[in-house]
């Protein structure tokens, strides 16, 4: 029987380099959305610590253990990058295929996103480890500063092309 | 003419542009206005109504007269202020509102007819026989009216929008603004310094002045160098703050330099504090024929001299009511210009000078058709004529208060400076310094800027040291208000809309006494300059005419934008495909490779049909595909439907509350169709929900309603039923899902399943985890087409690959891919509803599903659905329709009438919602709604579509037209 | 207009969706009678002054919020999670 081939969300959309910034699709990793059930917040955080080495993140923050990230993704929700853990007391859904993930890096990279994102991303306000659920243009997005000059952007998989286009356009316009 | 030693830049850097086809040479840094004046061109436009010859009046963005069209085709921009537009090599500039030429304008006849064209004339004329307005008057007026024109070509979408955040927003980089930015920048605050002009410095570049012992321009250069070296200061030139909004938000329009790749950027800036240091705008005095080319405000004459090194003529006269204006004569004389006269309305001023000074005098008339030649002056009883090219006029200065009044406040009249000043605290977080606050001396501006910045930062917990204030002039502002010169003839107030003193008096006479009424009646203040140069004079005239003071008369409402903002800038990036995100399925690329035309379904793109060689129309492909699904097997991408994953001990109870029917009793491994109501008892959405585990469900929604349903579920869980222990999230994007439908569907599916299924292990409405084509997926035995069918779901990374595999397998079984057209026909034949039927005004009863409302439990919408008005014979109930003649045509949206009744709204009994041709039955089919429809099976009706001119006799029938027993689904 | 979401901080209005008055949170019992249900579904006060609304942080954290604001001055007084 034929084996199925895998395609990444941004397959065919190349990396973009403009104005000293670089936009590229991040390498795919297992991903899961963790939502603690009623009253299980502390227990789930403890279970995550055991399973992943990171607890449940506070709103607007991330928890990290090496290459495993727990990114706060909404009301009592965390998106885990690097694993799909089995956790008692939480609703866990595999989201490994649901998101297009881009890394945008370079000096003053917040100037690029400022073209299409209404949130204050200045480093003094949005330092390394900070995250936000917000808009990218008209798309729902998750934005995390994963390194001093790198912002990781997640949008719905189906919108990968629009996100890539808008980010490249923002780079061009911010470079002017 | 140009003055040596002064100028906008390096005099060797020449730039050539065209004005009305003529080549004009300027210097890099010139505006169109300064370059034209330098070349002796004074005539720059024709006025709006009377088509009078006009020239430039100001040197800034408040310019009312010199409006030009720049560029051609997609790049054409009308109504550009020549005082703002920078020149560039090859720039094409054209004057407006004249034909055939600026010098000879046929519409100047309006000027002769002026007594009949005063304010509001159109309310009293253009009457007569019906039809005269549409056929004669309106077309004539449209041709005659207006200023610049658009090219009609679609604009390029190369503008930008952006967001920014800062601690202190400084609006205006004159002396006050520069000191504020220095104070705040040195304190380490995040500062944004925005200035409307190309070069910062404000009036320091427009006057002959010294700051801290340096020439003004040099002090500016020093301050700017310091600011530009600070990483926490962001300075933006060519940027106008256009509006003040709630929450410390400001809009700003940034213009690109000539030839820049991004012509405009519209900024939304959120500032914790802001300081308005935008200076003041000079006003004129109204006198007879005060609108000729060559008559300008005095401060502008000084701007052209000091900033651009240009003098607008060989001789200059000055008409003023204040001390400050006299600098004009001194500065021009120092540049070698002849001062024809200084005419001051005030008695008792110093009259010793190297030129004639007339105290207690007024200008009572001017002459010179295409440009000023002579002014007539009255001093006491004596009349004299003064020959001059230029008349510099100053009636005083108006602080630029606009932004402080954008949130419904009015400015405050300050008698001591005869001007309006900002109301305190009207915009939270915004303070004012310098001339914008009515503080006119340079030293006071420098002080006010520094103190204002320090105070603002103090309010947000940032300590800022007050810098040393440099030495600068601190002369008092001495003025005697003088709004108009009484006499015959027309004296202009609003130059752009051609509104005169007579017009304002006429408004008062016709009892339009409120300043808001005067504005609309005369159109004073309604042009693109928003009355910057005329508002105060006009309301002074109105105040006088109505026997009130200026404060009592008041001002009209100030609204953003301060200067015009193009829609292209506000909507940057939103043209064409940029308007909304595009959503593509995993099978999209392959579908397009197969030649499928794509149709928009919300934000998604879905294949309409898959054309085969030889097919001439979409109908042929659709008929073939629908037949294919009913006889062999078809494959269709259904990934776009919303999929919501629900988990938790109360997941079943939650579903019981949002659905009309019961899901807590659904067995594991089974799927059930569900109906969801709004609280008002009407249907919101439908879908199927599968139980994958004891506390695990997956709900589907329609493609269109996915977002709305998610919002509704969040509302129920967080607001209405927070005690329920359930969590849910969207998995629409996680799974690529494909329908495999038709008699050979099980055969196909079993070729890919690790563990083949049969009717015992996988009956109709079963579901479960499977391994398909070697990967972990899910299988659902559900059917929208009414055929034996499955939906196969795999993680989206495999979607494209699985689609290709499924289509290849289907083709090997004499089937293939099918698209939206065939999908619609198949479900229509089975009477399955879509949002065409649950369009927001239909209930469960209407669509024949009232028995799906479980009696034993409450659910959203249950109580209101039981209202008598939502039940019974009077309701329009869902029915199927067949044509009486086999070739009869149905159209969606058509209405139903009794056979012999007139086809009007009194007699309509229902309407069609979905139509299609059924290849299985060989004729058209429709679903629709008909009053008491379920009791009228077999009745003959007339379908009438007035819009498309279609009439068809039809028969009321069961909505399920094909395989009514549903036998094809099972087994 | 900006709203301070308790979870996300101050955000631009474009991230939120307005639904209606906060009375929507008080759903009547099924047997409360016609008047109570008509009131709940159809009737609303239209105050010139303080109002309590339900907003959804649709493009943010997905929280439902109760916003107390003034329809005359546009001031936003409080933003609270609806779920508490």
């Amino acid at each position: 029987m034929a084996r199925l081939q895998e395609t990444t969300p941004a397959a065919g959309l190349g990396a973009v380099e403009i104005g000293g910034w670089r936009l590229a699709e991040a390498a795919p990793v297992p991903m899961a959305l963790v939502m603690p059930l009623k009253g299980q917040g502390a227990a789930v955080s403890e279970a995550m610590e055991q399973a992943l080495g990171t607890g449940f993140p506070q709103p607007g923050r991330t928890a990290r253990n090496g290459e495993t990230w727990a990114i706060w993704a909404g009301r009592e929700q965390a998106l885990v990058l690097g694993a799909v853990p089995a956790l008692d007391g939480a609703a866990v859904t595999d989201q490994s295929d649901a998101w297009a993930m881009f890394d945008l890096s370079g000096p003053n990279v917040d100037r690029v996103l400022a073209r299409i994102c209404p949130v204050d991303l200045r480093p003094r306000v949005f330092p390394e480890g900070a995250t936000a659920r917000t808009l990218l243009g008209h798309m729902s997005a998750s934005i995390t500063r994963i390194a001093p000059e790198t912002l990781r952007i997640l949008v719905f998989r189906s919108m990968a092309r629009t996100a890539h286009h808008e980010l490249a356009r923002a780079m061009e316009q911010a470079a002017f | 003419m140009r003055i040596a030693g002064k100028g906008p830049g390096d005099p060797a850097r020449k730039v050539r542009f065209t004005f009305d086809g003529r080549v004009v040479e300027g210097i890099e840094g010139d505006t169109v206005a300064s370059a034209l004046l330098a070349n002796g061109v004074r005539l720059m436009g024709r006025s709006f109504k009377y088509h009078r010859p006009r020239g430039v009046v100001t040197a800034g963005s408040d310019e009312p007269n010199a409006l030009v069209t720049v560029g051609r085709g997609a790049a054409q921009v009308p109504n550009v202020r020549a005082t703002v537009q920078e020149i560039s090599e090859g720039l094409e500039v054209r004057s407006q509102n004249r034909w055939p030429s600026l010098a000879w304008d046929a519409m100047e006849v309006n000027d002769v007819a002026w007594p009949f064209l005063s304010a509001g004339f159109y309310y009293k004329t253009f009457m007569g026989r019906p039809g005269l307005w549409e056929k004669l008057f309106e077309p004539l007026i449209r041709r005659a009216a207006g200023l610049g024109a658009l090219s009609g070509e679609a604009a390029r979408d190369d503008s930008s929008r952006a967001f920014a955040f800062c601690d202190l927003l400084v609006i205006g980089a004159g002396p006050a603004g520069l000191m504020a930015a220095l104070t705040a920048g040195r304190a380490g605050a995040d500062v944004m310094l925005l200035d409307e002009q190309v070069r910062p410095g404000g009036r320091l570049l427009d006057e002959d002045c010294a700051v801290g012992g340096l020439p003004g321009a040099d002090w500016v250069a020093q301050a700017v160098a310091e600011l530009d070296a600070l990483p926490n200061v962001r300075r933006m030139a060519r940027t106008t703050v256009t509006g003040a909004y709630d929450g410390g938000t400001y809009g700003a329009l940034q213009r690109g330099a000539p030839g820049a790749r991004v012509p405009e950027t519209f900024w939304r800036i959120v500032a914790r504090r802001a300081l308005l240091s935008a200076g003041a705008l000079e006003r004129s005095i109204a006198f007879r024929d005060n609108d000729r080319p060559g008559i300008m405000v005095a401060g502008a004459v000084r701007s052209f001299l000091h900033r651009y090194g240009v003098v607008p003529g060989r001789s200059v006269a000055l008409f003023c009511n204040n001390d400050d204006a006299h600098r004009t004569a001194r500065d021009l004389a120092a540049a070698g210009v002849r001062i024809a006269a200084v005419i001051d309305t005030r008695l008792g001023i110093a009259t010793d000078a190297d030129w004639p000074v007339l105290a207690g005098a007024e200008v009572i008339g001017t002459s010179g058709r295409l440009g000023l030649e002579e002014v007539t002056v009255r001093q006491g009883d004596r009349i004299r004529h003064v020959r001059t090219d230029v008349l510099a006029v100053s009636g005083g200065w108006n602080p630029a208060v606009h932004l402080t009044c954008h949130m419904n406040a009015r400015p405050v009249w300050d008698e001591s400076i005869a001007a309006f000043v900002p109301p305190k605290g009207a915009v939270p977080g915004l303070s004012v310094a310098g001339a914008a606050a009515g503080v006119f001396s340079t030293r006071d501006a420098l002080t006010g800027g520094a103190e204002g910045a320090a105070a603002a930062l103090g309010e947000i917990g940032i300590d800022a040291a007050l810098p040393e204030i440099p030495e600068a002039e601190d002369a008092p502002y001495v003025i005697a208000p003088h709004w108009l010169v009484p006499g015959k003839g027309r004296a202009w107030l609003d130059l752009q809309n051609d509104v005169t003193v007579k017009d304002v008096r006429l408004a008062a006479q016709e009892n339009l006494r409120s300043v808001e009424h005067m504005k609309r009646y005369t159109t004073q203040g309604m042009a693109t300059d928003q009355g910057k140069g005329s508002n105060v004079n006009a309301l002074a005239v109105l105040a006088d005419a109505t026997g009130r003071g200026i404060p009592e008369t008041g001002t009209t409402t100030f609204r953003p934008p301060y200067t015009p903002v193009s829609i292209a800038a506000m909507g940057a990036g939103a043209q064409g495909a940029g308007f909304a995100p595009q959503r593509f399925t995993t099978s999209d690329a392959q579908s397009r490779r197969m030649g499928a035309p794509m149709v928009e379904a919300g934000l998604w793109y879905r294949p309409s049909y898959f054309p085969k060689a030889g097919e001439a129309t979409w109908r042929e492909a659709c008929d073939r595909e629908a037949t294919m699904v009913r006889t062999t097997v078809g494959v269709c991408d259904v990934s776009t439907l919303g999929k919501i994953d629900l988990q938790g001990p109360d997941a079943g109870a939650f579903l019981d509350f949002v659905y009309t029917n019961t899901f807590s009793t659904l067995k594991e491994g089974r799927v059930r169709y569900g109906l969801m109501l709004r609280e008002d008892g009407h249907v919101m959405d439908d879908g199927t929900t599968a139980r994958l585990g004891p506390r695990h469900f997956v709900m589907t929604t329609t493609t269109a309603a996915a977002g709305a349903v998610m919002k509704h579920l969040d509302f129920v869980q967080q607001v209405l039923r927070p005690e329920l222990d359930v969590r849910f999230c969207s998995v629409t994007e996680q799974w690529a899902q494909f329908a495999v439908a038709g008699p050979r569907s099980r055969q196909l599916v079993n070729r890919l399943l690790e563990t083949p299924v049969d009717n015992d292990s996988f009956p109709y409405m079963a579901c479960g985890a499977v391994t398909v084509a070697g990967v972990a997926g899910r299988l659902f035995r559900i059917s929208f087409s009414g055929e034996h069918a499955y939906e196969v779901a795999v993680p989206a990374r495999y979607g494209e690959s699985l689609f290709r595999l499924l289509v290849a397998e289907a083709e090997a079984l004499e089937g293939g891919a099918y698209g939206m057209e065939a999908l619609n026909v198949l479900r229509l034949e089975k009477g399955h509803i879509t949002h065409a039927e649950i369009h927001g005004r239909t209930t469960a009863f209407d669509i024949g599903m009232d028995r799906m409302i479980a009696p034993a439990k409450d659910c959203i919408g249950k109580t209101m659905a039981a209202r008598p008005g939502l039940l019974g014979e009077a309701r329009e109930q869902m029915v199927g329709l067949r044509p009486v003649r086999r070739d009869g045509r149905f159209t969606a949206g058509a209405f139903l009438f009794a056979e012999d009744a007139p086809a009007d709204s009194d007699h309509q009994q229902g309407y069609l919602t979905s139509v299609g041709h059924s290849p299985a039955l060989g004729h058209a089919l429709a679903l629709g709604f008909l009053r008491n429809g379920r009791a009228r099976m077999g009745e003959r009706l007339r379908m009438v579509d007035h819009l498309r001119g279609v009439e068809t006799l039809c028969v009321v029938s069961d909505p399920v037209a094909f395989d009514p027993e549903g036998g094809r689904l099972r087994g | 207009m900006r709203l301070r979401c308790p979870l996300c901080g101050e955000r631009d209005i474009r991230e939120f969706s307005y639904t209606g008055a906060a009375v929507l949170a008080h759903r009547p019992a099924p047997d409360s009678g016609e008047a109570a249900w008509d009131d709940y579904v159809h009737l609303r006060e239209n105050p010139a002054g303080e109002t309590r609304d339900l907003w959804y942080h649709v493009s943010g954290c997905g929280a439902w919020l109760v916003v107390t604001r003034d329809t005359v001055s546009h001031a936003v007084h409080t933003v609270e999670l609806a779920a508490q």
Side-chain angles (χ1 to χ4, degrees):
Chain A
M1 178 187 310
R3 295 275 318 153
L4 290 180
Q5 285 152 345
E6 302 182 23
T7 316
T8 70
L13 306 170
V16 178
E17 293 188 345
I18 294 173
W21 299 299
R22 183 161 198 273
L23 169 72
E25 180 175 27
V29 293
M31 281 171 34
L33 191 68
V34 176
M35 296 180 288
L37 293 166
K38 230 171 174 34
Q40 302 286 332
V44 168
S45 189
E46 178 59 40
M48 282 174 67
E49 195 71 60
Q50 297 289 329
L52 306 166
T54 81
F56 195 91
Q58 290 298 304
R61 314 278 335 150
T62 57
R64 185 182 177 184
N65 176 28
E67 283 317 301
T68 303
W69 289 79
I71 298 175
W72 181 84
R75 189 185 142 265
E76 290 161 27
Q77 296 176 25
L79 201 56
V80 172
L81 267 61
V84 181
L87 299 167
D88 282 340
V92 179
T93 30
D94 191 335
Q95 299 265 321
S96 307
D97 298 64
W99 298 90
M101 192 158 65
F102 296 99
D103 284 344
L104 181 66
S105 52
N108 297 313
V109 67
D110 53 295
R111 294 269 172 113
V112 176
L113 274 198
R115 298 271 153 174
I116 48 178
C117 178
V119 163
D120 192 352
L121 298 170
R122 291 176 294 164
R124 64 166 68 175
V125 166
F126 198 77
E128 194 175 337
T131 190
R133 276 305 294 267
T134 180
L135 286 168
L136 192 79
H138 294 286
M139 299 171 282
S140 186
S142 161
I143 300 175
T144 307
R145 190 182 288 273
I146 59 171
E149 291 188 337
T150 306
L151 292 168
R152 174 158 288 182
I153 298 146
L154 273 69
V155 296
F156 293 167
R157 183 197 193 95
S158 64
M159 300 194 198
R161 201 181 307 178
T162 296
H164 186 268
H165 171 84
E166 301 247 323
L167 286 163
R169 184 188 155 99
M171 290 162 79
E172 274 190 31
Q173 294 183 329
F176 137 74
Chain B
M1 56 190 216
R2 290 224 106 103
I3 303 295
K6 288 182 184 292
D10 181 356
R13 296 176 70 86
K14 301 214 189 298
V15 174
R16 282 188 168 79
F17 65 101
T18 65
F19 181 62
D20 284 349
R22 256 180 53 200
V23 175
V24 179
E25 189 179 273
I27 292 170
E28 192 178 71
D30 264 332
T31 60
V32 169
S34 67
L36 288 176
L37 289 177
N39 282 271
V41 176
R42 298 197 292 172
L43 178 62
M44 296 188 195
R46 287 278 178 165
S47 71
F48 177 59
K49 189 161 59 170
Y50 301 122
H51 287 253
R52 285 170 66 90
R54 290 285 172 82
V56 71
V57 173
T58 70
S61 66
D62 50 330
E63 175 58 30
N65 272 348
L67 300 185
V68 295
T69 295
V70 173
R72 218 171 252 289
Q76 178 169 320
V77 185
N79 301 338
V80 175
R81 299 175 292 306
T83 48
V84 173
Q85 175 68 45
E86 298 167 69
I87 61 172
S88 60
E89 195 65 32
L91 187 72
E92 188 181 342
V93 181
R94 289 173 283 154
S95 61
Q96 303 179 155
N97 200 35
R98 81 295 182 269
W99 180 84
S101 76
L102 201 46
W104 289 102
D105 182 6
M107 288 302 288
E108 200 173 343
V109 34
N110 285 2
D111 199 31
V112 173
W114 76 263
F116 305 101
L117 298 177
S118 57
F121 74 92
Y122 35 82
Y123 299 121
K124 302 164 188 167
T125 51
F126 305 123
M127 300 173 194
R129 290 190 334 269
L132 261 186
W133 174 258
E134 284 86 16
K135 295 202 178 66
L136 178 61
F137 296 128
E138 195 195 352
L140 270 180
I141 292 169
R142 279 199 183 276
R143 258 200 300 271
L147 292 171
L150 295 170
S151 67
E153 286 183 40
R156 290 192 305 259
D157 191 6
D158 45 11
S159 292
S160 182
R161 286 184 284 187
F163 300 89
F165 297 80
C166 64
D167 294 324
L168 182 69
L169 172 65
V170 179
I171 304 165
L178 287 169
M179 284 303 287
L182 285 169
T183 306
R186 290 169 185 165
D190 258 1
V191 180
M192 289 182 72
L193 174 64
L194 271 48
D195 192 273
E196 194 177 48
Q197 305 227 43
V198 178
R199 290 181 291 157
R203 288 308 300 170
L204 294 179
L205 266 59
D206 297 319
E207 306 286 8
D208 173 22
C209 60
V211 179
L214 294 171
D218 291 355
W219 182 85
V220 169
Q222 202 175 72
V224 167
E226 183 184 339
L227 290 168
D228 287 352
L230 288 170
N232 54 312
V233 175
R234 196 164 167 184
R235 186 173 68 84
M236 286 162 57
R238 300 181 173 91
T239 306
T240 309
V241 175
T242 53
Y245 304 92
D246 291 310
T249 308
Y250 297 84
L253 184 67
Q254 177 186 32
R255 308 183 309 274
R261 198 147 34 112
V262 180
E264 289 179 316
T265 302
F266 186 70
W267 291 86
R268 283 173 177 85
I269 302 168
V270 178
R272 297 173 70 195
R273 287 294 182 274
L275 183 76
L276 178 65
S277 43
L281 301 167
E282 198 168 22
R283 61 186 180 231
S284 186
I285 299 171
F287 53 89
R288 183 177 189 166
D289 293 333
N290 61 333
D291 69 324
R292 298 193 194 280
I295 302 177
M296 307 168 60
V297 289
V301 176
R302 300 198 299 276
S303 298
F304 282 117
L305 172 64
H306 294 296
R307 190 186 281 259
Y308 297 102
V310 166
V311 174
R314 303 221 102 73
S315 67
V316 178
L318 175 68
F319 177 34
C320 65
N321 66 347
N322 61 82
D323 283 359
D324 178 69
H326 288 257
R327 305 159 76 158
T328 317
R330 290 193 292 275
D331 292 357
L332 287 167
V337 177
R338 184 178 84 86
I339 307 302
V342 167
I343 305 142
D344 197 312
T345 61
R346 302 168 294 167
L347 292 161
I349 55 154
T351 54
D352 56 328
D354 293 336
W355 44 80
V357 178
L358 307 171
E362 293 173 309
V363 174
I364 60 167
T366 69
S367 64
R369 194 179 79 86
L370 292 181
L372 183 67
E373 288 165 10
E374 183 180 276
V375 307
T376 308
V377 183
R378 175 179 61 214
Q379 187 184 30
D381 295 333
R382 204 176 146 194
I383 309 282
R384 57 177 105 191
H385 301 277
V386 178
R387 293 204 67 78
T388 183
D389 308 336
V390 179
L391 178 66
V393 186
S394 178
W397 291 83
N398 295 326
V401 304
H402 308 65
L403 288 176
T404 65
C405 298
H406 277 173
M407 288 167 60
N408 211 29
R410 301 296 160 113
V412 178
W413 182 251
D414 184 342
E415 197 63 49
S416 68
I417 56 170
F420 284 101
V421 295
K424 287 220 175 343
V427 175
L430 175 66
S431 54
V432 192
V439 166
F440 290 141
S441 83
T442 309
R443 179 147 172 107
D444 287 343
L446 295 163
T447 309
E451 290 179 347
L457 291 181
E459 288 174 7
I460 55 174
I462 300 177
D463 234 333
L466 271 181
E468 203 182 300
I469 308 297
E471 283 291 302
E473 67 80 26
D474 60 356
Y477 181 66
V478 182
I479 182 172
H482 203 97
W483 309 107
L484 59 94
V485 175
K488 287 188 178 344
R490 287 171 292 171
W492 268 265
L493 292 167
D494 186 322
L495 286 164
Q496 194 168 131
N497 267 359
D498 260 343
V499 179
T500 64
V501 170
K502 277 182 180 330
D503 293 324
V504 175
R505 290 204 174 119
L506 182 63
Q509 187 182 315
E510 306 218 337
N511 208 27
L512 294 153
R513 300 165 54 87
S514 145
V515 65
E516 299 279 9
H517 284 151
M518 179 277 285
K519 172 179 175 176
R520 274 73 183 186
Y521 188 71
T522 64
T523 75
Q524 180 276 319
M526 294 178 70
T528 69
D529 64 335
Q530 292 287 280
K532 288 186 177 64
S534 63
N535 283 335
V536 178
N537 293 54
L539 75 90
V541 172
L542 181 67
D544 179 64
T546 56
R548 294 174 290 178
I550 288 176
E552 205 192 322
T553 309
T555 63
T556 56
T557 304
F558 288 78
R559 298 185 179 89
Y562 176 73
T563 47
V565 179
S566 68
I567 296 193
M570 283 199 246
Q575 281 189 40
F579 181 75
Q582 297 177 299
R583 297 180 81 171
F584 300 103
T585 60
T586 56
S587 66
D588 185 274
Q590 179 63 10
S591 298
R592 289 173 199 255
R593 278 193 289 267
M594 292 166 72
M598 305 303 278
V599 68
E600 288 176 32
L603 299 178
W604 293 95
Y605 288 82
R606 305 184 76 180
S608 197
Y609 54 93
F610 293 84
K612 288 236 179 307
E615 285 173 344
T617 66
W618 70 269
R619 249 290 294 277
E620 288 182 45
C622 177
D623 288 353
R624 172 184 50 78
E625 287 175 12
T627 305
M628 173 187 78
V629 172
R630 295 251 183 259
T631 53
T632 56
V633 62
V635 176
C636 177
D637 191 331
V638 296
S639 307
T640 63
L641 277 74
K643 301 180 272 298
I644 299 174
D645 186 291
L646 300 98
Q647 299 180 35
D650 294 330
F654 182 79
L655 289 168
D656 286 352
F657 187 64
V658 298
Y659 274 135
T660 60
N661 48 334
T662 309
F663 280 83
S664 51
T665 54
L666 182 64
K667 287 186 170 33
E668 214 176 304
R670 285 289 183 272
V671 189
R672 183 170 287 168
Y673 175 74
L675 197 65
M676 198 178 282
L677 302 182
R678 296 194 311 244
E679 202 68 270
D680 68 355
H682 292 73
V683 181
M684 180 195 300
D685 200 40
D686 69 343
T688 57
T689 292
R691 187 173 207 149
L692 298 178
R695 301 164 151 201
H696 188 195
F697 294 81
V698 176
M699 168 199 287
T700 70
T701 75
T702 59
T703 301
V709 169
M710 190 54 140
K711 176 177 176 180
H712 176 65
L713 296 181
D714 267 333
F715 177 73
V716 171
Q717 198 267 313
Q718 294 180 41
V719 182
L720 295 184
R721 303 297 304 274
E723 79 284 5
L724 290 179
D725 193 2
V726 59
R727 299 303 308 270
F728 47 85
C729 69
S730 167
V731 291
T732 308
E733 302 271 1
Q734 170 64 18
W735 297 95
Q737 193 148 329
F738 303 94
V740 180
R744 298 180 191 174
S745 58
R746 181 157 56 208
Q747 191 180 350
L748 192 165
V749 156
N750 277 340
R751 286 176 63 77
L752 301 179
L753 289 174
E754 189 177 80
T755 310
V757 298
D758 60 23
N759 195 47
D760 291 323
S761 63
F762 221 85
Y764 178 56
M765 297 304 260
C767 66
V770 295
T771 303
V772 54
V775 307
R778 290 171 177 170
L779 188 68
F780 307 84
R781 187 170 160 187
I782 52 180
S783 177
F784 194 46
S785 58
E787 292 305 306
H788 185 134
Y790 299 83
E791 286 188 13
V792 184
V794 292
R797 77 186 67 179
Y798 301 113
E800 167 157 41
S801 187
L802 180 62
F803 179 69
R804 292 162 76 160
L805 183 58
L806 286 170
V807 171
E809 292 288 341
E811 286 171 352
L813 292 169
E814 296 174 299
Y818 67 101
M820 295 299 99
E821 297 292 346
L823 182 90
N824 188 48
V825 165
L826 293 165
R827 69 95 187 173
L828 189 63
E829 288 172 335
K830 294 297 300 179
H832 288 159
I833 57 174
T834 64
H835 272 277
E837 285 71 47
I838 47 172
H839 52 59
R841 287 173 292 114
T842 50
T843 65
F845 175 85
D846 296 340
I847 56 175
M849 293 195 196
D850 44 317
R851 273 178 297 189
M852 279 189 68
I853 303 177
K857 64 166 179 72
D858 185 22
C859 71
I860 297 276
K862 181 168 181 180
T863 305
M864 292 298 259
R867 288 182 285 168
L870 267 58
L871 304 164
E873 287 180 3
R875 296 295 296 180
E876 289 164 343
Q877 301 161 13
M878 192 170 86
V879 295
L881 295 154
R882 298 161 184 259
V884 166
R885 283 173 47 141
R886 245 179 124 62
D887 62 350
R889 188 180 149 207
F890 287 143
T891 54
F895 286 94
L896 293 164
F897 305 88
E899 255 195 278
D900 51 1
D904 59 29
S905 50
D906 285 343
H907 292 90
Q908 73 95 346
Q909 310 230 355
Y911 54 95
L912 275 62
T913 52
S914 301
V915 307
H917 172 84
S918 164
L921 300 174
H923 56 73
L925 279 181
L927 287 175
F929 289 85
L930 176 68
R931 202 164 302 160
N932 203 23
R934 288 193 285 272
R936 298 167 71 171
M937 294 293 137
E939 191 176 317
R940 260 164 79 119
L941 294 174
R942 195 157 65 102
M943 180 217 88
V944 178
D945 183 336
H946 286 303
L947 270 180
R948 301 182 188 93
V950 180
E951 240 190 72
T952 306
L953 284 177
C954 55
V955 177
V956 180
S957 51
D958 193 289
V960 186
F962 180 81
D963 181 33
E965 303 304 307
R968 297 172 80 88
L969 285 171
R970 296 178 165 76
Chain C
M1 185 179 174
R2 297 177 71 72
L3 290 176
R4 179 170 296 280
C5 169
L7 297 176
C8 301
E10 205 184 70
R11 292 293 178 89
D12 191 289
I13 187 76
R14 55 174 43 77
E15 293 190 11
F16 301 89
S17 163
Y18 166 82
T19 287
V23 298
L24 272 170
H26 306 296
R27 185 173 183 270
D31 58 358
S32 300
E34 254 182 33
W37 272 96
D38 183 38
D39 199 88
Y40 175 69
V41 175
H42 297 127
L43 302 180
R44 294 291 179 268
E45 294 299 321
N46 186 20
E50 192 174 284
T51 178
R52 291 182 80 234
D53 311 326
L54 277 163
W55 291 72
Y56 180 48
H57 198 178
V58 53
S59 302
C61 61
W64 277 89
L65 307 166
V66 176
V67 176
T68 306
R69 63 188 180 94
D70 190 302
T71 59
V72 172
S73 69
H74 295 203
V76 175
H77 298 307
T78 59
V79 182
E80 300 159 306
L81 289 175
Q84 57 205 24

